[in-house]
Amino acid sequence: MPDPEEPSLTTALAAQVLPPPVTEGITVEARRLMFLSALLLFPAAVAAWFIGGAPTVVGVAVGGATALSNFWLLSRLVVKSTAGAEGSAGGLWAQLMFKFGLLGLLLAVSIFAFGIDGLGLLLGLSIMFAAVPLNLVSEMVAEQRSRTSGGSR
């Protein structure tokens, strides 16, 4: 019979796979990814200026703000789910679908009502996709540096 005080295999695996629970805000990794994405908005805005001028730069700014806020909301949902907050899978699904619908409505209003440049909006929304591999590469470089500096001492 298994010892009730010994952590189960599922608990041990979950501790390795999931980020540590955060009671407020988002995880450090998510914050770092958002910061990197915000930094990437500047070169994207400069490129947008040369592609389509001021309307495209506005589209990049609106798309980037939308992508960052969407990522923040998703991170909050993940934190609430992994921290053991009360709620059902149906409630999580409803929150995700509401957020998805709101995102679609925001994008439609941005393009059709406010005339935001579609190319700039798409460029701004894709900033998160560029930040993910850049974040992974920077973490690999930092780990390699810590190994080489730690091994030479």
Side-chain angles (χ1 to χ4, degrees):
M1 185 167 175
D3 185 12
E5 293 181 13
E6 186 176 315
S8 68
L9 179 61
T10 306
T11 306
L13 289 175
Q16 292 177 0
V17 174
L18 298 174
V22 178
T23 55
E24 290 184 23
I26 59 176
T27 62
V28 174
E29 293 84 7
R31 269 190 233 124
R32 181 176 182 202
L33 190 57
M34 286 182 67
F35 177 73
L36 197 56
S37 297
L39 286 179
L40 286 175
L41 280 174
F42 292 111
V46 170
W49 180 263
F50 290 112
I51 292 172
T56 309
V57 173
V58 171
V60 167
V62 170
T66 302
L68 289 171
S69 60
N70 182 46
F71 185 76
W72 183 82
L73 285 171
L74 281 174
S75 297
R76 288 289 302 141
L77 285 174
V78 168
V79 165
K80 286 166 81 175
S81 299
T82 59
E86 293 296 321
S88 65
L92 179 62
W93 182 84
Q95 287 178 342
L96 285 171
M97 289 299 109
F98 177 74
K99 186 196 71 60
F100 183 67
L102 191 63
L103 179 64
L105 181 67
L106 176 68
L107 293 176
V109 167
S110 295
I111 292 173
F112 298 118
F114 295 121
I116 300 292
D117 183 58
L119 179 64
L121 191 65
L122 184 63
L123 183 60
L125 285 169
S126 64
I127 280 300
M128 292 300 291
F129 296 110
V132 170
L134 189 59
N135 185 39
L136 290 174
V137 167
S138 69
E139 286 179 0
M140 287 176 14
V141 167
E143 184 179 324
Q144 186 66 27
R145 282 186 181 171
S146 69
R147 267 194 226 157
T148 57
S149 65
S152 62
R153 289 182 183 174

